[in-house]
Structures are given as structure tokens and as C-alpha cells.
Amino acid sequence: MRLDLHRQSIEKAADSAPITIDCEASNREFESKEEAFTFYKEHALAVGFSAIIKASRRSRISGKFIDAKFVCTRYGAKPETSVDPEIAGNAQSKKKRGRINRSWSKTDCKACMHVKRRQDGRWIVSNFVKDHNHDLVIDDPGLRNVRRKKMCVSSARARAESFSGDAQVLLEYFSSMQDENPYFFYAVDLSKEQLLRNVFWADAKGRIDYFNFGDVVLFDTMYKRNESKLPFVPFIGMNNHFEFSLLGCGFVADESKSSYAWLLRAWLRSVRGRAPKIILTDQDIVLKEAVAEVFPASRHCFALWHVFSKIPEKLGYAMRQHEEFVEKFHKCILKSQTEEQFEKRWWKMVDRFELRSDKWIQSLHDDRLRWAPVYMKGAFLAGLSSPQRLESVVSALDRSLLRKTSIKEFLQQYKTMLDERYEEEARADVDSWQRQPGLKSPSPYGKQMAQIYTHAVFKKFQAEVLGVVACHPKVEGRDEDATTAFKVHDFEANQVYRVTWNEETEDASCGCRMFEYNGFLCRHVMIVLQICGVNSIPAKYILQRWTKNAKNGEEASRADGLESRDERCSDLYERACKLGDVASWCQETYRVTFAAVEEAVRKCENINNSVERLEHVSLSRPSLPSNNALQESGGVIQGKTKTEEINSGKEKVHLEQETTTTGLQWDQMGYLNFRASTLDCCYGPQQTEQGMV
């Protein structure tokens, strides 16, 4: 069984592909001469002729190519010499300067495409002639489509082979991880040929972390876009030590909406259907559609560092022509404090650098509510949307995703990386509880938050406390609702920020948007609080997720809201995993936990065996837990024989049943056996709900 992550999606694309490529494209643009020629060759292959480069020309100043002409091989006049047709036929096979001599096949065909290089470096079509004066190799439209489809499928298979791995390696890894901890979750998406297409998994620690730090999640497709050997897509969160947490991982076949939607649904199932408040992605129309479909209630934003990382690719021509472009672009994005100021600077920049016709610039402005800092008021991004990509993410993941990394090597490096990070996190937890951070100023804000924040977060907060001395506030005015506006001159940043403060509601805001991006107050707000006589940080601006108690943030008990045995079992299982994580780090905590669990088991057994319990509970064999309970514990049975359609709310959920289950099995008492097979927890083909069984 091999890992074929491209095959079916490309075959489907080929089925719906047009017979020929539309070359009536005066607006067609290319990155290079080579890309333009590749396009014309694909057009030629689809239509039924061969293409060659007739001529190309370089600039005398720069030496770079500035135009090129691609033609049909029958372009040009016939030879004037009269020759016996039989001799002419033999002459076609002769070599001329190492190439096939095609002069005898010339028909003076005018079909061609002429491209020129613009000043910005991109190539455009200056002339295109599509008509031929000779028969084409394939004249039947149906045959043309078949030929094109075979070409696409062949190409897809070649790409799949380029990074195919042993699917059994993945399944064995998943099985071993589930042996270590049954709360490990995985799902696979199979093609009609039963080949792996998309894969998702989440370890127990990642699933638990989500319930503590899942308010903001980064769905990072950077590795897929960078053409890594492995098409890896992680779900990334931020823990209370300002370090990234892997909430789930996947391999995807392609960048289609169906693949991304499948992966998002698999992850959503692993976290028991709790969608994040904010999900961050790259700016991409396919991702927008997939996120809107799976997370309709979540706020979808674009990571700022994703946007900035595209500047050299999308606006390289502007950077080469104008040295000050990047500075002006950053000023518009990072230093605008009001929507009006942003709009004014944006259009001034666009006109100054002649960017009105640039499609990427247009798309950025259309999507400005999803990424521009000035529009992020009321959001919280947990440090995942800074202008630069987090170094901790880069250094940890990039080591495991070298282009020559096989799946087996990747899984080994991935597990080692996780083990190292979990140990570092545990040490940071202990350090934050047992040692107080050093105070560098007598500020009451520093003294207050040193007792609450973890060391990593407090270090960042204390930098703001120390920066207060470089800020000078000035009252600007007061509104009818008791909101006072200030202008705060930050001499260190050499910028003036607008700060508002309402004493009655304790609402504060600053144009620097530090609270929205990092989750703690900035120096500009603190200097305003200081002159207003507020000696402590308001509770609403102390986020639980940054505190030492962040991992105890979930409600202590949900007993009243859990009616079914399935819900209670799943909830206790989640809490047991969390308990095991915190109680296993030293012998003393293990002994305390062991004694408490043993005592709890004895009490539960006494209650279950009481006379009152026996009078109301049947002694018959326990019924099998529902499909929902199976999914919660990380197992989904792949169906084979019978499909049952059940109405659930507004959606129809298709449950697959089988006469002999492969994978997760039930023992004679009706309990789940996680070690039954290495093929447990499989999703079927993308037919119903994109592969979710």
C-alpha cells in the first residue's frame, strides 16, 4: 500500500478540464520566458501540433531576454527546390546540426505566440495567432480530451511518486502512539482505489492543550506552498509560556478546497467540535472557502507574517524600482492608527508606486478586514500574527521537514521534537511556580503581574513596564460617555499613539494594538492608567491563558450538563489524560494521584453496587457506546456493507456499518479494544462530508 496523495484529485481535475487551453489571452502574464513557453507547449499538445522557439532576443544593456517567439513546427515557407516526394520523405529523417530537419514539412503556417518582457520583469503576450493551415495530429475533440487527461494523470502519478512513502509506516506509527495513549487521534482519507490521500493526527497532549489555548489557531500551509518534499500542514497554538503548541498535523494531497475542508473537519472532530474563536491562515481564496464552510462562526484572519513574506514575490518589481517602497508599505500597515489614516496612506502609496493595476494589491485591500492591524480591534491573536514568523516554529519544524526527508524519518524527528518540547514546557511550569521573576522597577503593575504571569510572558510585559518612562501623555478630549482620549508620545519609538480610557467601564484601547496582538497591556495604556490613579491592571486585561493557572482554566465541573454515559466517559477520559500529564513528573505527585484514584475507584464501585443502583439498572449486557463516543476516543470504523442515513439537526450524517469490523473492536463486555488492529481510525473516501464517516 503506497501513499498516493495526488492521484484522484488530479484525475477529477482532468475530467473537467477544457479541451484546449484558452490562448486568446491579451491579459495573460508569465513570470519568465520559460513559463510562457511551457504554456504554449501545453496548448500545442492539447490542440495537436508541436511547438518550438523560433527566436528570442536579449537586451544589449542588461543581457536579459526581453522577447521571444514560439511557433508551430510547420511555421515558415516551403523549400523552393523541386524534389521527388519519395526523396523528400526520406530527407525528413536526416539530421541538421544535431536536430531533426523539418524544412520539408513546412507549410508556411502562421500559428505563433509572441511574448515580451515588461519593465517590471513579467512577460505578456504581444501577439497570438491560433489558426493553422494544415491538419492537426488529433482532430477529434473527444480524442483531444482523452490525450489531455492521460497527460494530466501521468503527471499526477509522477508527482505522487516523488514523495510517496509507505502508508504502513504511518499506520504503524499511529497504532503505536495509540498504544501509548488511547487519547491519540488520527484519521485518513482514502481514494476509490483505497490509497491514502489525506492524513490527520493529533496526540493526546495537543488535544488537551487545545482546550486551554485554543482561542486562536494558526492553520499553516507554508510547508505545502514551499514545495517541501512532504506536504505537511500543522495546526499551531500558543501556550502560556509564549511557545507554540502543536494541536494537530496533516499531510494533504493538494491545495484544493476539498482537501483543506477534509483536514479542517478531521481536526474539528478531534477537539470534540469546539471551533476556535479565531483561525489564522495564509491569504488564499481556496482557504477562505474551506474555512467558511467548516468554521462559519469563527473569525477568519490572515497571519501578518504571511502577508509580509509575499512582498518580494508579489511586489519585487516595485522593490527594485523604488528603494523606499518597503519602508512606505510598512508605515502604512504598521503605523496607521485609524481606518481613515490607513485608507489615506494606502491609496497614496498605491498611486506613488503605480500599483493600482496590481492584482495582489487589489486583493489585499479587498481583504483588509482580515489582516490589517487597524481593523483588528476586539480581536485577540495570541502572538501568532506578528510581522515576522515565530522563530520557535521555524527552528523546530524546519529541522523535520527537509526536502529529502522520508515519512519514516519525519515521524522519528517529529516525535523527538515533541518529547523535547514537552520536557521544556514541564520545566517552565515548575520554574514559574517555584521561582519569582526579578523585578527591574518599583512599578505596582510589575509587582502585580509577577505573581500571575508565567516567566516568559512576564518578561515581555516587564519590557512594556520599563518603557513607560519613555512615554509622555497629553489629554486630547473627553466624550459624552466618559471616555477620555490621550495622545501619548513614545520617545523610544518616536511616534504618537492615541489612547482612550473609560474610568467607569475600565475600557482601554491603544493604536499600537499590542493587546490585540499579544494579549497584555502596552506602555502607552499603562502611562494613562498611572496618571489616572489606577494602580493595578484591570482584571479584563489579564488573560487566563498567560497565567500560571492557565491549564486549570476550564470549568471545574460540567456534571449537570452531561446527561449520557458517553458524554461522561469522554469527559472523564480527557481529564484523566490531563491528570496523567501533570502527575507523572515526580514520584511524590504520582503517589498522591495514585492514592486518590484508587480511593475514587472504590467509592464509584460502592455506589454502582449499592442496592439502590441495582433496583434501577438492568443486569443485561451493556449496550455498545454510540458512534459519537467512538469518535471522541479517537476511533472511527470504516464502513463497507451498509449505509444508514440519520437526520441530525440540519445536516444528514452518514454512518457506515460493517459486518466484521477492521480496526477498533469491542470485547465480550462491550468495551473498546484499542489494540485490535493497526488499521483503526480510518475515514473512507471523500464521498460523504468529504470523507468523514
Side-chain angles (χ1 to χ4, degrees):
M1 189 180 197
R2 63 188 178 87
L3 183 64
D4 189 341
L5 297 181
H6 277 319
R7 185 175 182 179
Q8 187 174 357
S9 60
I10 297 297
E11 289 179 342
K12 288 182 178 179
D15 288 336
S16 60
I19 294 175
T20 64
I21 299 174
D22 180 17
C23 285
E24 301 281 0
S26 59
N27 295 326
R28 172 73 66 171
E29 295 184 5
F30 306 97
E31 294 290 340
S32 64
K33 176 174 72 74
E34 291 73 22
E35 182 181 322
F37 185 46
T38 298
F39 172 84
Y40 192 65
K41 285 193 297 183
E42 290 177 352
H43 163 70
L45 182 62
V47 172
F49 69 96
S50 298
I52 59 172
I53 301 177
K54 176 64 176 177
S56 58
R57 186 164 59 93
R58 294 178 182 267
S59 167
R60 295 181 180 179
I61 299 175
S62 65
K64 296 180 179 179
F65 284 108
I66 56 175
D67 68 31
K69 188 174 185 178
F70 315 128
V71 301
C72 171
T73 52
R74 298 194 176 191
Y75 185 93
K78 299 178 182 179
E80 296 180 358
T81 305
S82 177
V83 182
D84 186 345
E86 183 176 350
I87 298 176
N90 294 332
Q92 293 183 34
S93 61
K94 294 182 179 180
K95 299 277 185 174
K96 182 180 181 180
R97 295 183 182 178
R99 297 178 295 176
I100 298 295
N101 183 0
R102 295 187 174 90
S103 61
W104 298 104
S105 65
K106 302 295 185 182
T107 63
D108 201 21
C109 179
K110 301 298 184 183
C112 67
M113 184 172 81
H114 191 188
V115 293
K116 292 185 177 182
R117 184 177 181 272
R118 283 193 323 212
Q119 194 173 9
D120 61 10
R122 296 182 64 82
W123 290 72
I124 59 173
V125 178
S126 64
N127 183 38
F128 175 73
V129 179
K130 74 173 184 178
D131 295 328
H132 298 258
N133 65 356
H134 55 86
D135 292 336
L136 300 176
V137 176
I138 297 179
D139 193 41
D140 185 287
L143 292 177
R144 279 188 237 159
N145 201 31
V146 170
R147 182 179 180 181
R148 180 179 177 85
K149 178 177 178 180
K150 288 182 178 179
M151 178 187 69
C152 293
V153 172
S154 176
S155 176
R157 288 174 178 169
R159 288 197 299 271
E161 289 295 332
S162 69
F163 69 93
S164 65
D166 186 0
Q168 193 64 30
V169 172
L170 273 173
L171 296 175
E172 288 175 358
Y173 172 79
F174 294 156
S175 180
S176 67
M177 292 299 291
Q178 213 168 59
D179 285 344
E180 292 180 15
N181 193 322
Y183 204 56
F184 180 90
F185 181 98
Y186 73 93
V188 298
D189 175 32
L190 305 177
S191 67
K192 292 180 180 179
E193 296 81 11
Q194 298 300 299
L195 297 174
L196 285 181
R197 184 167 49 191
N198 301 309
V199 183
F200 171 80
W201 72 95
D203 70 336
K205 178 70 164 59
R207 297 179 73 187
I208 294 171
D209 279 349
Y210 175 74
F211 298 119
N212 297 319
F213 311 113
D215 45 359
V216 187
V217 175
L218 170 64
F219 184 57
D220 190 0
T221 58
M222 188 209 70
Y223 297 101
K224 175 67 180 174
R225 303 293 172 81
N226 282 2
E227 299 179 354
S228 298
K229 181 177 175 62
L230 297 178
F232 181 67
V233 181
F235 292 81
I236 299 174
M238 187 75 76
N239 67 20
N240 59 333
H241 300 290
F242 231 89
E243 292 290 341
F244 84 91
S245 175
L246 274 177
L247 308 177
C249 305
F251 291 141
V252 291
D254 49 41
E255 296 176 90
S256 65
K257 175 186 173 182
S258 60
S259 288
Y260 284 143
W262 183 92
L263 198 61
L264 292 171
R265 283 194 177 93
W267 175 72
L268 184 62
R269 190 178 294 265
S270 76
V271 295
R272 297 167 60 183
R274 302 183 191 181
K277 295 178 181 178
I278 292 180
I279 183 165
L280 291 161
T281 71
D282 191 3
Q283 184 207 16
D284 181 84
I285 184 63
V286 173
L287 284 172
K288 283 174 64 176
E289 293 175 354
V291 170
E293 180 179 307
V294 182
F295 302 119
S298 299
R299 182 172 179 178
H300 182 197
C301 298
F302 301 147
L304 195 57
W305 59 268
H306 263 305
V307 174
F308 280 17
S309 68
K310 287 184 175 180
I311 295 177
E313 172 194 349
K314 301 292 187 179
L315 301 175
Y317 66 93
M319 295 172 62
R320 291 189 294 270
Q321 294 174 2
H322 308 280
E323 294 182 358
E324 71 278 20
F325 170 73
V326 173
E327 177 186 350
K328 298 299 181 183
F329 187 88
H330 282 203
K331 179 181 178 181
C332 174
I333 306 307
L334 300 178
K335 296 188 177 182
S336 296
Q337 298 184 50
T338 65
E339 296 177 15
E340 294 77 12
Q341 190 178 46
F342 172 83
E343 289 292 327
K344 182 179 179 180
R345 288 177 173 176
W346 178 270
W347 293 114
K348 181 179 179 181
M349 173 189 70
V350 166
D351 290 336
R352 177 175 179 177
F353 300 111
E354 300 178 348
L355 301 175
R356 281 191 179 266
S357 62
D358 189 280
K359 294 181 179 179
W360 188 63
I361 283 290
Q362 293 172 6
S363 69
L364 280 183
H365 189 262
D366 291 342
D367 290 327
R368 61 192 181 280
L369 299 182
R370 298 181 184 270
W371 65 273
V374 72
Y375 295 101
M376 291 296 110
K377 186 176 182 180
F380 169 59
L381 303 174
L384 288 170
S385 186
S386 59
Q388 291 83 32
R389 188 171 175 229
L390 293 173
E391 287 300 321
S392 59
V393 177
V394 175
S395 59
L397 292 180
D398 284 4
R399 290 197 303 267
S400 302
L401 290 167
L402 301 175
R403 292 198 173 193
K404 296 183 180 180
T405 302
S406 67
I407 288 181
K408 185 175 182 180
E409 292 170 334
F410 167 78
L411 292 175
Q412 293 172 344
Q413 297 172 15
Y414 168 82
K415 192 173 187 305
T416 300
M417 181 266 293
L418 282 188
D419 291 341
E420 292 174 351
R421 294 198 65 79
Y422 291 163
E423 288 184 12
E424 292 173 2
E425 183 180 340
R427 285 193 293 267
D429 284 338
V430 173
D431 195 41
S432 291
W433 277 109
Q434 295 184 350
R435 184 177 62 85
Q436 289 298 314
L439 294 174
K440 298 182 179 180
S441 80
S443 169
Y445 307 135
K447 293 178 181 179
Q448 174 193 6
M449 303 316 298
Q451 305 293 324
I452 300 174
Y453 283 153
T454 61
H455 287 182
V457 177
F458 179 74
K459 182 178 180 180
K460 295 178 179 294
F461 175 77
Q462 185 164 239
E464 295 303 306
V465 173
L466 297 175
V468 167
V469 298
C471 297
H472 178 72
K474 182 179 180 181
V475 177
E476 190 179 35
R478 184 180 178 89
D479 296 340
E480 295 179 357
D481 62 352
T483 298
T484 306
F486 297 82
K487 282 187 176 180
V488 178
H489 191 168
D490 186 334
F491 289 94
E492 183 176 337
N494 193 27
Q495 177 146 347
V496 176
Y497 295 94
R498 187 175 188 273
V499 176
T500 61
W501 166 249
N502 188 304
E503 188 173 352
E504 296 179 2
T505 62
E506 293 190 331
D507 288 334
S509 69
C510 179
C512 75
R513 298 282 181 256
M514 173 163 286
F515 186 79
E516 285 81 355
Y517 275 83
N518 290 333
F520 47 81
L521 288 183
C522 62
R523 61 190 67 183
H524 317 118
V525 171
M526 282 190 278
I527 188 63
V528 168
L529 295 181
Q530 184 175 305
I531 67 171
C532 291
V534 181
N535 296 321
S536 62
I537 302 296
K540 65 171 62 179
Y541 296 108
I542 303 175
L543 300 185
Q544 174 78 16
R545 63 157 11 262
W546 295 138
T547 69
K548 302 173 185 179
N549 287 313
K551 296 176 182 177
N552 300 321
E554 199 173 2
E555 61 270 27
S557 175
R558 291 178 291 175
D560 295 338
L562 303 179
E563 299 294 339
S564 70
R565 180 182 178 186
D566 293 340
E567 291 176 320
R568 294 191 294 271
C569 180
S570 181
D571 183 68
L572 289 172
Y573 204 4
E574 177 187 320
R575 296 174 187 275
C577 288
K578 186 182 297 185
L579 178 63
D581 184 53
V582 299
S584 60
W585 280 98
C586 69
Q587 191 64 31
E588 183 179 355
T589 56
Y590 172 77
R591 284 197 299 266
V592 171
T593 304
F594 182 86
V597 170
E598 288 294 302
E599 178 63 21
V601 170
R602 283 194 295 270
K603 289 183 178 180
C604 291
E605 288 175 343
N606 291 335
I607 294 174
N608 291 339
N609 293 328
S610 66
V611 176
E612 181 180 358
R613 178 70 174 171
L614 292 176
E615 289 177 351
H616 294 85
V617 180
S618 171
L619 295 178
S620 61
R621 173 183 172 179
S623 61
L624 295 184
S626 69
N627 192 49
N628 288 334
L630 182 69
Q631 294 163 358
E632 292 293 351
S633 59
V636 177
I637 299 174
Q638 179 189 353
K640 293 184 179 179
T641 62
K642 180 181 179 182
T643 301
E644 188 172 326
E645 192 174 271
I646 300 176
N647 289 326
S648 176
K650 296 182 179 179
E651 298 181 349
K652 291 183 178 179
V653 180
H654 296 265
L655 305 180
E656 301 285 353
Q657 298 179 339
E658 56 184 358
T659 54
T660 56
T661 61
T662 60
L664 299 182
Q665 299 178 357
W666 302 95
D667 61 23
Q668 292 181 354
M669 295 301 294
Y671 295 107
L672 190 59
N673 176 11
F674 287 90
R675 301 173 63 101
S677 169
T678 60
L679 296 178
D680 48 357
C681 196
C682 293
Y683 291 144
Q686 286 188 17
Q687 295 174 350
T688 303
E689 293 293 326
Q690 279 71 39
M692 307 297 285
V693 178

